[in-house]
Amino acid sequence: MEKPTVLIIGKPNVGKSTLFNRMIGERKSIVHDMPGVTRDNIFSTIQWDDISFTLVDTCGVFEQPEDNIEERQKKIIFDSLKDVSLVIFVTDGKNGLTSEDYHIADYLRKSNSKVILVVNKAENFEKYELETKPEIYSLGFGEGIPVSAEHNRNIHSLMDAIVNSLKTSGFDSEESVDNESENKEIKVSIIGRPNVGKSSLFNSIVGSDRAIVSEIPGTTRDAVDHLVKIGDKSFRFIDTAGMRKKSTVHYGSIEMFSISRTIKAIEKSDVVILVVDPTEGITHQDKSIIGVAEKRGKGTIIAFNKWDLVKNNQKRKEEFFKYFEKELYFVNYSPVVFTSVPRRWGIQELITAIEDVEKSRNKKIPTSALNGALEKYTLVTPPPIKKGKRIKFYYATQVGTKPPVFVFYSNLPYDIPKYYQQGLRNMIRHYIDPFVGSPIFLKFEARKSQEKTNVKQKIL
């Protein structure tokens, strides 16, 4: 049986995201006093007692949407009701009901959804009993469960009610989330500046309108993820908010929280796709974004999106390959894919590139092959002299994957210049394996026998 899905719904600013974060035990959804902060559905798996379910945080539902984004948000939420097992309808226990609450209640009744009514911000229980509780009955879903997400009050009662409701709906007890199968997923973040087409590309890959797409820069604020199975492989794609220049982001702003979520998404990913608008070119911000992924050891792919807007595009690919190698030289090992969502160009190539990059991150090189290449390289390109001594390499071995990590044992491990370290990386890529899309990390250490000798000399 599939894992049940529980949807949180309510008007703006009733504390849905605070409740979501409290229930999952981490700050995944952005919380801000400004109404309408959450724009995309945010998903997380919860294990409570012996039931595991997917909890979904949604944006606030406006009775009268003021623009296309709010209208689109409302449609996505109401359309998703047919696919969920249970709805958590959140109301405001401090400020009371409004016409928007009754509007949502009417729609929930028409959809025949199974509903648990939650009255949030009910810190003052006496006030709730005397003033709020009587009008709550008018929604038609009983007296509701009073909670305070901010102060962590009565959350256990809500969780018990959810589990009991799911069990009465026929969902059996399940074991804890399978971490092994989760680890087999290839986690892919889609990153880039605002309005380069990340959400459109994300939706094209996953095959549904999970992320809200708009011409307005900065539409996506949270990281939205979706699990896709292609053949025998599972991919978890994560759409992220556009990362702006630091100078345009103010402390405490929504954009600041979006950036922190994007960096967190990168850290949890295996592969990162940098989406670039070829009509605008590669900017300093693009370099900063992909630099974050490279420093954290993530596989990287460059996607020139909106390729259909480039004049004479079929003849200009070589030009853009050279442009990429010049501007993003520090990740020049990354595959480059040219995509167009309206034309469906490059989607399959993108999937293939993700698989190739993940293979590279997991690749293990035999020690004999590595040392054979090292011997040839040092003969052609001798190491420099430091402290009056020629740097020597005794041997090298791979000690890690995801990303690949190599240790070189040397007589002067702390004096290897940066340019020679880069030369060793190039040696591995050119002579052994290209490690497509994967950074290579190097460590330099003294031989154990040499370390003991150094210690004795210090003692003497």
Side-chain angles (χ1 to χ4, degrees):
M1 180 178 292
E2 291 187 3
K3 195 187 303 296
T5 300
V6 178
L7 188 79
I8 298 177
I9 192 173
K11 66 185 179 184
N13 215 30
V14 294
K16 297 184 299 299
S17 294
T18 303
L19 180 63
F20 175 86
N21 289 338
R22 181 68 70 183
M23 292 171 71
I24 69 173
E26 64 171 301
R27 290 174 59 86
K28 189 171 185 180
S29 274
I30 298 174
V31 178
H32 202 283
D33 290 336
M34 183 188 300
V37 169
T38 301
R39 282 181 173 167
D40 299 299
N41 290 356
I42 311 301
F43 297 71
S44 189
T45 299
I46 293 182
Q47 179 82 18
W48 189 260
D49 288 341
D50 53 357
I51 289 285
S52 178
F53 61 91
T54 299
L55 186 67
V56 185
D57 183 24
T58 66
C59 63
V61 175
F62 292 89
E63 183 179 2
Q64 298 293 333
E66 295 182 356
D67 53 42
N68 290 334
I69 292 179
E70 291 181 1
E71 183 67 44
R72 180 66 176 151
Q73 291 171 333
K74 183 176 178 179
K75 184 177 186 303
I76 289 176
I77 294 171
F78 284 165
D79 286 349
S80 65
L81 290 175
K82 62 180 181 296
D83 299 320
V84 304
S85 312
L86 180 66
V87 174
I88 306 300
F89 179 18
V90 183
T91 60
D92 188 335
K94 181 180 293 184
N95 301 308
L97 301 179
T98 65
S99 62
E100 287 179 318
D101 295 302
Y102 291 101
H103 173 69
I104 296 171
D106 289 341
Y107 201 96
L108 290 175
R109 278 193 295 270
K110 291 175 182 177
S111 68
N112 293 318
S113 301
K114 192 168 185 179
V115 176
I116 290 180
L117 180 63
V118 173
V119 186
N120 192 28
K121 304 181 183 179
E123 295 88 359
N124 190 330
F125 191 75
E126 183 178 349
K127 180 181 177 182
Y128 164 76
E129 286 286 326
L130 295 175
E131 300 178 13
T132 309
K133 188 174 180 179
E135 70 170 348
I136 287 295
Y137 282 101
S138 63
L139 292 173
F141 298 108
E143 67 179 49
I145 300 175
V147 303
S148 173
E150 183 178 357
H151 297 92
N152 196 23
R153 294 181 181 175
N154 214 29
I155 302 300
H156 281 68
S157 297
L158 172 59
M159 298 295 288
D160 289 341
I162 292 171
V163 168
N164 290 335
S165 178
L166 293 175
K167 287 182 178 180
T168 58
S169 297
F171 289 99
D172 299 325
S173 300
E174 297 177 12
E175 296 180 357
S176 299
V177 179
D178 187 354
N179 292 323
E180 184 178 349
S181 63
E182 198 170 284
N183 290 334
K184 291 180 180 178
E185 299 172 359
I186 302 176
K187 300 179 180 65
V188 185
S189 287
I190 303 175
I191 66 173
R193 293 178 296 112
N195 212 32
V196 294
K198 297 185 301 299
S199 295
S200 297
L201 190 60
F202 171 83
N203 288 336
S204 182
I205 294 171
V206 304
S208 64
D209 292 337
R210 284 288 296 278
I212 296 172
V213 179
S214 168
E215 293 299 323
I216 303 172
T219 302
T220 300
R221 288 171 174 169
D222 290 292
V224 186
D225 66 286
H226 189 65
L227 182 64
V228 179
K229 288 196 174 182
I230 302 174
D232 59 346
K233 291 186 174 62
S234 296
F235 302 83
R236 184 169 295 280
F237 288 95
I238 308 167
D239 182 25
T240 63
M243 293 180 67
R244 303 174 185 272
K245 293 181 180 178
K246 288 183 179 179
S247 60
T248 65
V249 178
H250 303 291
Y251 180 80
S253 65
I254 294 171
E255 286 82 2
M256 187 193 76
F257 290 111
S258 295
I259 289 174
S260 67
R261 295 294 190 274
T262 298
I263 293 176
K264 189 174 181 180
I266 290 173
E267 290 173 342
K268 290 184 176 181
S269 299
D270 302 304
V271 179
V272 173
I273 301 172
L274 173 65
V275 183
V276 177
D277 185 340
T279 64
E280 297 181 2
I282 297 170
T283 68
H284 177 74
Q285 187 65 5
D286 291 320
K287 297 175 185 178
S288 298
I289 293 171
I290 202 67
V292 171
E294 187 266 342
K295 289 177 181 178
R296 285 160 173 75
K298 308 303 178 180
T300 50
I301 298 171
I302 311 303
F304 283 108
N305 196 30
K306 304 182 182 181
W307 189 240
D308 54 312
L309 301 181
V310 177
K311 294 181 179 180
N312 301 318
N313 51 46
Q314 295 305 314
K315 297 180 180 180
R316 298 185 65 187
K317 285 188 177 181
E318 189 62 32
E319 172 191 335
F320 272 83
F321 275 121
K322 292 179 180 179
Y323 175 58
F324 148 72
E325 290 180 349
K326 177 185 176 183
E327 297 297 325
L328 297 176
Y329 60 90
F330 54 96
V331 288
N332 60 4
Y333 49 80
S334 306
V336 176
V337 182
F338 300 89
T339 59
S340 167
V341 172
R343 303 288 182 88
R344 293 291 298 174
W345 291 347
I347 303 302
Q348 184 54 53
E349 289 86 345
L350 199 57
I351 299 297
T352 301
I354 293 169
E355 293 177 329
D356 291 342
V357 171
E358 185 60 8
K359 285 179 184 177
S360 293
R361 294 183 75 241
N362 286 279
K363 194 163 291 183
K364 191 79 167 63
I365 299 301
T367 300
S368 57
L370 179 61
N371 285 282
L374 177 61
E375 183 178 356
K376 292 178 182 177
Y377 180 74
T378 53
L379 285 174
V380 176
T381 310
I385 296 174
K386 293 288 182 178
K387 299 179 180 178
K389 295 181 180 179
R390 172 79 63 183
I391 293 175
K392 295 180 182 179
F393 295 102
Y394 302 112
Y395 68 98
T397 187
Q398 185 175 354
V399 296
T401 57
K402 301 183 70 172
V405 181
F406 298 88
V407 172
F408 289 79
Y409 292 91
S410 171
N411 62 330
L412 298 171
Y414 306 112
D415 297 304
I416 317 290
K418 295 292 183 183
Y419 77 87
Y420 205 83
Q421 293 182 28
Q422 186 58 45
L424 293 173
R425 290 190 186 91
N426 294 338
M427 170 204 77
I428 294 171
R429 293 190 191 278
H430 294 159
Y431 298 155
I432 305 175
D433 191 277
F435 283 98
V436 175
S438 176
I440 293 174
F441 288 175
L442 306 183
K443 293 182 178 181
F444 299 93
E445 297 180 5
R447 288 193 300 185
K448 291 184 178 179
S449 58
Q450 181 184 348
E451 289 177 348
K452 291 179 180 178
T453 301
N454 291 340
V455 171
K456 288 181 179 179
Q457 290 176 346
K458 288 181 180 179
I459 293 174
L460 294 173

